[in-house]
Amino acid sequence: MAEKKVALACTVCGSRNYTVSTNANRTERLALKKFCKHCGKHTLHRETR
Ligand SMILES: [Zn+2]
């Protein structure tokens, strides 16, 4: 099972708050609602490399 790690960055302030393991064969970008401690609320977080 091939997995790769990606960081999730807040789309509001740009800080990288989370890392997740994901399927290496997946091509579309992850976008998740996560809590950002910099923004103090849940924001959309996108996969970075
Ligand atoms: Zn933020």
Side-chain angles (χ1 to χ4, degrees):
M1 180 73 81
E3 284 198 341
K4 70 170 185 174
K5 275 199 169 174
V6 295
L8 296 180
C10 175
T11 55
V12 178
C13 69
S15 67
R16 296 177 185 189
N17 303 312
Y18 298 93
T19 54
V20 293
S21 293
T22 184
N23 191 329
N25 298 324
R26 186 187 48 78
T27 53
E28 73 273 22
R29 293 203 132 200
L30 279 180
L32 296 173
K33 273 231 162 185
K34 294 274 197 183
F35 183 80
C36 177
K37 65 184 175 188
H38 296 273
C39 298
K41 60 180 181 180
H42 282 79
T43 62
L44 193 65
H45 285 66
R46 259 192 239 286
E47 170 186 343
T48 63
R49 218 200 61 78

